[in-house]
């Protein structure tokens, strides 16, 4: 019987630098999470941190990590051939089964592209799984853009893509926040047969949700991920608790009707 709180040493297969502070680590493991779930990555005597799976394949998982603290400082010293300890997967992920044969809208901001990346690549690798894919990705500036190869693939394959930079003009990108794109999303063409996935910083998700409702989107067809709130992953430490909700157990993905009440 699998012990989901026992970390296992796993070999790092590859390390790719995405930006100055965000790297993607490909790690050998037979763990098969659902899209949108997360795992705990740890180093003995240093600590652990919860990280969403950004991509997965046969015998490996990828984690796109921002270097923001003690544990990630040490992780960033690791290279291919070294080991990290993994436990999980945890949480409720994206409702991928409910996306089938629907018009899908994905709105992601900054590192929020990471927890939805495997879902996007699943749709990219399985043409026809969704009726249409409409993708909005926003980044602070050109130096913070993640997954450039994926962005190019998605732009070529998906029905509509909008890539945004908050305060910078660059070819191929819109200048401004992702909220400014909501009014341009083809909701009329989707009719009632659609789903919306939103992930990013708390402020971005809050105002994106409000903008979606303002522009006629049904709150019952929107999901949001609070992946940044994770800590112990098993509902014991209380770090992720918002009111009476333990995000690590009941999320990190929530329907908007629940997410709108979770004041982060």
């Amino acid at each position: 019987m699998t012990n989901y709180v026992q970390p296992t040493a796993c070999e790092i297969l590859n390390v790719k630098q995405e930006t100055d502070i965000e790297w993607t680590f490909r790690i050998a493991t037979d763990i098969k999470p659902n899209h949108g779930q997360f795992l705990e990555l740890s180093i003995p005597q240093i600590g652990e941190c919860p990280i969403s799976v950004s991509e997965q394949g046969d015998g490996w998982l990828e984690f796109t990590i921002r270097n923001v603290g003690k544990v990630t400082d040490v992780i960033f010293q690791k290279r291919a051939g070294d080991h990290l300890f993994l436990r999980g997967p945890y949480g409720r992920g994206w409702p991928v089964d409910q996306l089938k044969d629907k018009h899908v809208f994905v709105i992601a901001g900054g590192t929020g592209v990471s927890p939805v990346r495997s879902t996007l690549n699943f749709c990219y690798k399985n043409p026809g799984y969704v009726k249409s894919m409409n993708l909005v990705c926003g980044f602070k500036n050109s130096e913070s853009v993640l997954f450039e190869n994926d962005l190019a693939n998605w732009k070529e394959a998906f029905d509509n893509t909008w890539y945004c930079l908050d305060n910078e003009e660059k070819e191929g990108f819109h200048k401004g926040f992702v909220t400014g794109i909501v009014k341009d999303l083809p909701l009329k063409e989707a009719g009632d047969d659609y789903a919306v996935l939103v992930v990013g910083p708390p402020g971005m998700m809050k105002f994106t949700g409000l903008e979606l409702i303002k522009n006629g989107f049904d709150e019952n067809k929107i999901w949001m991920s609070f992946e940044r709130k994770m800590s112990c992953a098993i509902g014991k430490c209380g770090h992720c608790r918002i009111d009476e909700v333990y995000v690590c157990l009941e999320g990190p993905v929530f329907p908007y009707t629940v997410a709108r009440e979770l004041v982060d």
Side-chain angles (χ1 to χ4, degrees), residues 40-106:
E40 293 282 347
L41 277 59
S42 63
I43 299 174
Q45 300 182 338
I46 300 297
E48 66 179 3
C49 56
I51 305 291
S52 293
V53 177
S54 65
E55 182 58 300
Q56 54 186 291
D58 187 16
W60 56 266
L61 298 175
E62 285 188 350
F63 302 87
T64 301
I65 303 172
R66 173 175 283 187
N67 190 1
V68 292
K70 179 180 69 174
V71 179
T72 53
D73 280 345
V74 179
I75 291 177
F76 269 50
Q77 297 172 24
K78 302 291 185 180
R79 296 295 181 267
D82 293 335
H83 289 76
L84 290 175
F85 283 75
L86 271 59
R87 65 176 175 93
Y90 299 107
R92 297 181 180 180
W94 301 109
V96 176
D97 57 333
Q98 297 182 47
L99 304 184
K100 185 172 175 58
D101 298 325
K102 284 187 170 59
H103 298 279
V104 178
F105 300 86
V106 176

Side-chain angles (χ1 to χ4, degrees), residues 94 104-110 112-113 116 120 133-138 162 164 177-183 185 195-201 204-205 207-209 211-212 217 222-225:
W94 301 109
V104 178
F105 300 86
V106 176
I107 306 175
V113 180
V116 79
L120 291 168
M133 175 61 75
N134 305 275
L135 173 63
V136 185
C137 293
W162 296 263
C164 307
F177 300 120
V178 296
T179 50
I181 303 297
V182 172
K183 66 181 184 302
L185 296 176
V196 186
L197 312 183
V198 181
V199 60
M204 170 263 176
M205 291 200 298
F207 290 107
T208 298
E211 197 67 17
L212 286 166
F217 284 83
I222 303 171
W223 284 265
M224 292 184 168
S225 175

Side-chain angles (χ1 to χ4, degrees), residues 121-134:
N121 277 332
F122 173 80
C123 294
Y124 171 75
K125 296 171 185 176
N126 293 274
Y129 186 82
V130 299
K131 285 185 178 178
S132 70
M133 175 61 75
N134 305 275

